[in-house]
Amino acid sequence: MTYAILGVSGVRRWAVRLTIAGGLVAMAGVAGLRTAAADDPLAVHRAEAAAGNQETVTAARLEAGRKVFEAACMACHQATGQGLPGAFPPLAGSDLLKADTNRAVHIVVNGLHGPVVVKGVQFNSVMPPMAQLSDAEIADALTYVMNSWGNSFGSVTTAEVTTVRAGPKPKQEAGSATEHPGTTVAEMKYGGAPSPVGAVAQQIEMVTSAGAPDMTRAEFDHAKQIYFERCAGCHGVLRKGATGKPLTPDITQKKGTDYLKVFINYGSPAGMPNWGTSGALTPEEVDIMARYIQHVPPMPPEFGMKEMRAAWKVFVPVAERPTRKMNDFNIDNIFVVTLRDSGEVALIDGDTKRIINILKTGYAVHISRLSHSGRYVYTVGRDARLDLIDLWMEMPGIVAETKVGLEARSVETSKYEGYEDRYAIAGSYWPPQYVIMDGQSLEPLKIMSTRGMTVDTQEFHPEPRVAAIVASHEHPEWIVNVKETGQILLVNYEDIDNIKVTQIGAARFLHDGGWDSTKRYYLTAANQSNKVVVIDSRTQKLTALIDVDKIPHPGRGANIKDPKFGPVWITSALGNEKITFIGTDPHDHPAQAWKVVRVLTGQGGGSLFVKTHPKSSSLYVDTPLNPDAKISQSVAVFDINNLEAGYKVLPIAEWADVGEGPKRVVHPEFNMAGDEVWFSVWNGKDQKSAIVVVDDRTHALKAVIKDPRLITPTGKFNVYNTTHDIY
């Protein structure tokens, strides 16, 4: 079975309807429900279940099972139950099903990795556990399969499924595709977003490989563009594997074109989107991609000191810049707002709510960081362009720019006493490296590669991307997250000619994170490893690896004093609705330190950021990547003093009143005073977007900032709070 066609989001929406139907049974009674829901066999089945007939093979039960099968299984096993030759085994006439019903239950509940023989033919694919289905739904689906296409193998009871689910889990091979099942479409879109490396795709020559199917130059050029746009974010530019599996010719040629077309078309049971059946790729493009990935991956150009110095520009030399603030803006309360799809940032006055200036920057600015003084803003676009903004000028503007690669995500400055703003650092996705620059001019000074060994298997990885960088408060060094290797680098900048780097093995797939309330401990998500890593920046050692639920994504996290457990740091997640609290006080609360002490249930998965403020009693949780529009267009807010009470929903997109569009609400950010929280209403590029300002004390709407120039606003960075690491 697979959820390739609908994705988990579709199954979840369908499951919600099941829940509603089940609730109606209790209210209306069996007879009434049969009448009211004559067109809903699933509701009839629930009625029969309430009457004690759940485990019999009735027409209604078979119809209910058919619906489950079509939603969760048909993409791989086909409507006829014949499967797909070479990929997915047939269910029609399956000797495996007939011989061992219990094994079939185990496969659906726990997944299957490795060879299986059906009707004398060996299949060696991957099936994830159907964790998104209830025990009754699994029983229904299996009963449908066992009584369809000429099968007459009996039935499966809910009790049998429950017993298997509660029993021991089969041991999976390390690194198997079932380690992270249930990836939603939203998650995949987030992880596999287009790579700016594709902008230089036409510079890459055609590469062919022995044993690979023929391609024309036009097909190759088309395929490499698709790969950068659709695939590189997960599988890596070099196809060595990142958060997705490796796709090198030694692997792909053994599978063959037909086999690969199946996976590209229908999706992988490990969570790859169904590019063909979703309509994202045409049948011709599916065929092209199946052939393309059997060839050696083309190597994008490197980007070294020669290229960086050629891209480096100083518009206002340091000597010509103001020696004092030349405007009347309260720069501490300025918000630097990413206008993602226009390649700009907006500077908005937090006091007046007016736009000060719109500046052309790199594309899709991923992060903005502030200098130690709060004077300079450093922005980095996904296209690896860095811009330096001077807030002291009469009209704040860009004074320098450079480019540190072809794709990047992170920038930071030196903040330790005696080194304030002397240096800046930026980390690249491609090439895999970080660059140290002059903090006042962005002149590139030193390039350091991140290519190296993975923390777990100790294998060389050619493409370890720099995901996040923070400046230590304890030593003159930066903390650098190297995503694919799982290595955390403490880069000392006291002497960049004789640079010292402390390497700490943590966990793979490092992403973002932030400080605890003391700014001693750095907590960061290793998202696809489902862990939070804790680094003691004072001792420069790994403190803890904490298991959390699926795909934590904290941003910089949130710090509060939990009424029961003391100081905690909080993260939400892409993969589920859980909001996880981790104890951070080893001195006064040693029993809770570096442990999950509390888990709250939010609106749903697809969260990118949690936020609070030392002066606030509220915890805000966004869900912009949730497939349910009602959830993605609102935020949940918890009362820190009464966490058990659940959350209140704020209809942010409704308050924005911007008309049609996805209107995803993202990235809560407080003002300097800590009495307002700002939200981006992120709409389509050609649709109206807005920023909504909420009174933190009352949770009432305070202001809506609208302007045609606010194109796809996403991240917002308050100058004071970002400068002082307040979150």
Side-chain angles (χ1 to χ4, degrees):
M1 295 183 181
T2 184
Y3 39 84
I5 287 181
L6 291 182
V8 176
S9 61
V11 175
R12 284 173 179 164
R13 287 195 294 271
W14 178 77
V16 169
R17 293 194 290 272
L18 286 188
T19 304
I20 294 171
L24 289 175
V25 172
M27 293 188 291
V30 175
L33 185 61
R34 282 183 178 275
T35 302
D39 61 343
D40 189 349
L42 223 81
V44 175
H45 170 50
R46 299 300 175 210
E48 291 177 339
N53 300 320
Q54 184 176 0
E55 314 306 354
T56 59
V57 184
T58 63
R61 189 171 184 219
L62 290 175
E63 180 64 9
R66 181 187 66 80
K67 286 196 171 186
V68 180
F69 177 86
E70 290 179 351
C73 320
M74 189 171 69
C76 290
H77 297 290
Q78 302 297 285
T80 60
Q82 296 300 319
L84 290 166
F88 306 111
L91 301 177
S94 170
D95 48 2
L96 185 151
L97 279 172
K98 185 176 181 180
D100 193 349
T101 300
N102 188 61
R103 187 185 181 192
V105 176
H106 271 277
I107 291 172
V108 178
V109 171
N110 297 312
L112 178 66
H113 178 75
V116 61
V117 177
V118 179
K119 300 172 73 171
V121 178
Q122 185 178 86
F123 298 83
N124 193 1
S125 187
V126 177
M127 175 176 157
M130 295 289 103
Q132 79 275 16
L133 300 179
S134 70
D135 293 354
E137 289 158 8
I138 291 174
D140 290 348
L142 281 171
T143 298
Y144 168 76
V145 168
M146 296 166 68
N147 292 275
S148 300
W149 318 299
N151 294 345
S152 184
F153 303 153
S155 66
V156 173
T157 69
T158 302
E160 288 176 309
V161 180
T162 301
T163 299
V164 170
R165 198 189 294 271
K169 302 294 186 286
K171 186 177 180 181
Q172 296 287 345
E173 296 180 20
S176 76
T178 59
E179 286 184 331
H180 308 293
T183 306
T184 68
V185 173
E187 292 163 24
M188 295 306 300
K189 285 182 177 178
Y190 179 74
S195 168
V197 176
V200 297
Q202 297 309 314
Q203 302 176 24
I204 302 171
E205 296 298 317
M206 183 174 179
V207 181
T208 59
S209 304
D214 292 338
M215 299 189 75
T216 67
R217 177 59 194 257
E219 288 176 332
F220 188 89
D221 287 344
H222 187 43
K224 69 186 180 185
Q225 190 68 38
I226 292 174
Y227 185 84
F228 286 127
E229 291 178 352
R230 303 286 193 181
C231 317
C234 286
H235 298 284
V237 170
L238 302 181
R239 305 209 300 264
K240 294 288 188 178
T243 53
K245 295 294 178 181
L247 297 173
T248 47
D250 60 312
I251 298 171
T252 54
Q253 287 188 15
K254 292 178 182 178
K255 301 295 186 183
T257 302
D258 291 340
Y259 183 94
L260 295 170
K261 285 169 66 174
V262 167
F263 275 86
I264 297 169
N265 194 49
Y266 292 102
S268 161
M272 188 178 81
N274 51 312
W275 296 115
T277 57
S278 68
L281 299 180
T282 67
E284 292 76 18
E285 288 173 328
V286 169
D287 177 69
I288 289 172
M289 294 307 298
R291 288 182 282 135
Y292 173 76
I293 61 175
Q294 296 179 65
H295 292 266
V296 173
M299 176 71 76
E302 297 289 326
F303 202 91
M305 185 60 72
K306 177 182 177 182
E307 290 79 13
M308 288 183 199
R309 295 196 74 85
W312 172 48
K313 302 173 184 176
V314 178
F315 304 112
V316 183
V318 176
E320 298 177 16
R321 295 175 196 169
T323 57
R324 58 182 178 84
K325 189 165 76 76
M326 301 298 292
N327 56 62
D328 295 327
F329 303 118
N330 177 12
I331 65 172
D332 279 342
N333 202 34
I334 287 176
F335 286 77
V336 185
V337 182
T338 295
L339 306 180
R340 187 187 185 279
D341 293 344
S342 66
E344 298 170 318
V345 298
L347 305 179
I348 301 180
D349 189 323
D351 295 342
T352 66
K353 314 297 189 295
R354 295 176 179 173
I355 296 175
I356 297 171
N357 204 359
I358 303 282
L359 300 171
K360 197 69 179 178
T361 60
Y363 171 72
V365 165
H366 192 74
I367 203 86
S368 296
R369 286 284 180 262
L370 273 294
S371 65
H372 183 272
S373 65
R375 171 181 179 172
Y376 290 112
V377 182
Y378 299 80
T379 70
V380 58
R382 288 189 54 187
D383 56 0
R385 173 178 157 182
L386 262 70
D387 290 280
L388 181 63
I389 301 168
D390 188 354
L391 299 178
W392 278 15
M393 295 197 305
E394 185 175 355
M395 177 53 69
I398 296 171
V399 295
E401 80 174 43
T402 191
K403 193 170 169 63
V404 297
L406 301 179
E407 185 171 2
R409 295 293 189 278
S410 54
V411 66
E412 184 60 284
T413 67
S414 55
K415 292 185 176 180
Y416 193 71
E417 185 177 359
Y419 296 89
E420 297 93 337
D421 307 331
R422 183 182 300 182
Y423 301 115
I425 182 174
S428 298
Y429 267 27
W430 186 267
Q433 61 194 27
Y434 57 90
V435 182
I436 299 173
M437 299 157 285
D438 181 276
Q440 306 290 309
S441 69
L442 299 185
E443 179 185 3
L445 302 174
K446 194 175 190 70
I447 304 172
M448 299 285 288
S449 174
T450 56
R451 295 174 169 102
M453 301 299 177
T454 59
V455 67
D456 43 10
T457 58
Q458 296 290 293
E459 295 174 293
F460 179 76
H461 199 296
E463 194 185 341
R465 301 175 289 183
V466 178
I469 305 173
V470 298
S472 173
H473 300 273
E474 297 284 345
H475 300 282
E477 61 190 19
W478 296 292
I479 302 177
V480 179
N481 282 359
V482 185
K483 193 173 186 129
E484 278 72 35
T485 60
Q487 307 285 357
I488 292 179
L489 310 179
L490 309 184
V491 181
N492 187 290
Y493 47 74
E494 287 179 290
D495 182 359
I496 66 168
D497 292 324
N498 301 281
I499 200 161
K500 293 185 291 185
V501 179
T502 301
Q503 182 169 295
I504 300 175
R508 294 184 71 184
F509 312 114
L510 294 163
H511 196 59
D512 53 0
W515 296 106
D516 79 311
S517 58
T518 69
K519 299 180 178 59
R520 171 177 173 176
Y521 296 97
Y522 175 60
L523 295 93
T524 186
N527 53 20
Q528 289 286 2
S529 294
N530 299 328
K531 295 183 185 295
V532 167
V533 180
V534 184
I535 299 294
D536 185 340
S537 68
R538 183 175 299 171
T539 64
Q540 302 165 304
K541 294 181 179 180
L542 175 70
T543 295
L545 291 173
I546 305 166
D547 291 325
V548 297
D549 249 355
K550 191 167 183 281
I551 317 180
H553 193 287
R556 306 201 82 180
N559 287 292
I560 70 167
K561 190 171 183 178
D562 188 285
K564 184 176 180 181
F565 302 109
V568 299
W569 179 89
I570 305 166
T571 181
S572 54
L574 279 166
N576 60 63
E577 72 283 359
K578 295 180 180 179
I579 302 150
T580 302
F581 291 51
I582 295 171
T584 61
D585 184 9
H587 185 265
D588 293 328
H589 297 81
Q592 288 79 40
W594 320 128
K595 298 176 182 177
V596 175
V597 298
R598 187 191 295 273
V599 178
L600 300 180
T601 300
Q603 291 198 88
S607 175
L608 293 179
F609 302 102
V610 292
K611 187 69 70 171
T612 189
H613 189 278
K615 297 180 181 179
S616 174
S617 61
S618 298
L619 172 68
Y620 299 89
V621 184
D622 71 9
T623 41
L625 298 186
N626 195 282
D628 188 328
K630 186 176 181 180
I631 295 175
S632 65
Q633 294 178 7
S634 61
V635 296
V637 55
F638 292 85
D639 181 352
I640 293 171
N641 299 314
N642 188 15
L643 293 165
E644 292 83 1
Y647 57 83
K648 176 181 178 182
V649 176
L650 304 184
I652 302 297
E654 179 184 325
W655 289 345
D657 190 25
V658 293
E660 298 297 319
K663 296 175 287 193
R664 290 168 288 189
V665 176
V666 66
H667 198 252
E669 176 76 345
F670 278 84
N671 65 343
M672 176 186 176
D675 58 9
E676 293 177 354
V677 59
W678 291 34
F679 300 91
S680 295
V681 180
W682 172 18
N683 223 348
K685 185 177 181 179
D686 299 322
Q687 297 166 314
K688 295 179 180 178
S689 293
I691 293 173
V692 173
V693 182
V694 173
D695 186 299
D696 177 62
R697 185 180 60 82
T698 65
H699 301 147
L701 175 64
K702 191 169 183 178
V704 178
I705 304 172
K706 294 182 182 180
D707 190 290
R709 296 173 294 170
L710 291 179
I711 300 170
T712 59
T714 51
K716 300 165 299 301
F717 302 91
N718 177 267
V719 168
Y720 183 87
N721 293 335
T722 306
T723 301
H724 298 279
D725 290 327
I726 294 173
Y727 41 84

